[in-house]
Amino acid sequence: FFLRIRRPPRSTLFPYTTLFRSSLEELLFELVKIAAEVISAKGCVLRLMDKQAENLKIVAYWGVGKDVAESTTQKVGSGAAGWVAVNKKSLIINDLSEDEQFVNIVHTIAKSLLIVPLIDQGQVIGTLTVFDKAPQEEVGSYQFNDEDLSLLETVATRATIAIVNTR
């Protein structure tokens, strides 16, 4: 018995390399869209650290309302994205309703999260979050897994390079 997991072609993961000449805003929009598509998630949010390294502000989003994205700022160390920023570690939460550690507004818009840090020269510059994985017919699962984590970490590494190069 073999499970067949369909991986997107490698070229799908990195089409934004041609966006180096684009504005940072356009680049970030493409990055969150690509991340959500590659992971088969309902949406994606990219947060960048403010200059004081106290808050993570949503700077690009896909699959969330503009009102939520523009009104949500997260303290570093607070909530799931804040935890990822402080600990420099990725995080998978497949059932937010059962996770007491990260109770906050995210429960109203998401059921599950996969969050990875954006790290440049050992410093966290932000986080990349995908939420609510679409059902996968091949494997019959709605949960994020290690393959999703690996893919998102790859996207995050490329995103970090692109962000740093366009600043």
Side-chain angles (χ1 to χ4, degrees):
F1 174 71
F2 292 95
L3 290 177
R4 184 178 172 137
I5 299 175
R6 188 175 47 147
R7 268 196 130 158
R10 189 162 176 82
S11 61
T12 316
L13 294 176
F14 308 113
Y16 54 83
T17 54
T18 59
L19 295 172
F20 282 111
R21 289 181 233 110
S22 300
S23 73
L24 182 58
E25 185 177 318
E26 291 169 334
L27 173 68
L28 297 179
F29 172 78
E30 288 298 321
L31 289 172
V32 296
K33 182 179 172 188
I34 290 165
E37 290 173 354
V38 166
I39 304 297
S40 299
K42 178 181 171 186
C44 183
V45 172
L46 190 143
R47 293 176 173 90
L48 291 180
M49 192 90 66
D50 65 11
K51 290 181 183 179
Q52 296 77 25
E54 295 175 355
N55 297 298
L56 291 162
K57 181 168 176 35
I58 295 175
V59 295
Y61 53 92
W62 178 261
V64 235
K66 183 177 181 180
D67 55 331
V68 172
E70 291 182 352
S71 66
T72 305
T73 299
Q74 195 159 13
K75 288 246 183 237
V76 172
S78 170
W83 183 92
V84 168
V86 166
N87 293 284
K88 298 180 184 179
K89 293 182 181 178
S90 300
L91 179 66
I92 297 175
I93 305 173
N94 276 315
D95 189 350
L96 283 165
S97 68
E98 293 183 8
D99 193 293
E100 295 180 15
Q101 184 177 3
F102 301 114
V103 177
N104 61 20
I105 192 169
V106 77
H107 292 257
T108 62
I109 60 168
K111 294 179 177 96
S112 60
L113 299 172
L114 169 55
I115 309 171
V116 298
L118 303 176
I119 300 175
D120 178 48
Q121 298 180 358
Q123 299 298 314
V124 174
I125 64 166
T127 62
L128 184 61
T129 305
V130 290
F131 60 90
D132 295 345
K133 184 170 178 151
Q136 303 297 298
E137 291 180 22
E138 297 89 1
V139 295
S141 174
Y142 292 85
Q143 297 192 336
F144 293 112
N145 57 41
D146 290 339
E147 183 177 352
D148 298 325
L149 175 61
S150 178
L151 284 170
L152 194 61
E153 286 175 340
T154 300
V155 172
T157 299
R158 299 293 182 133
T160 301
I161 292 167
I163 291 165
V164 169
N165 286 340
T166 56
R167 280 186 165 173

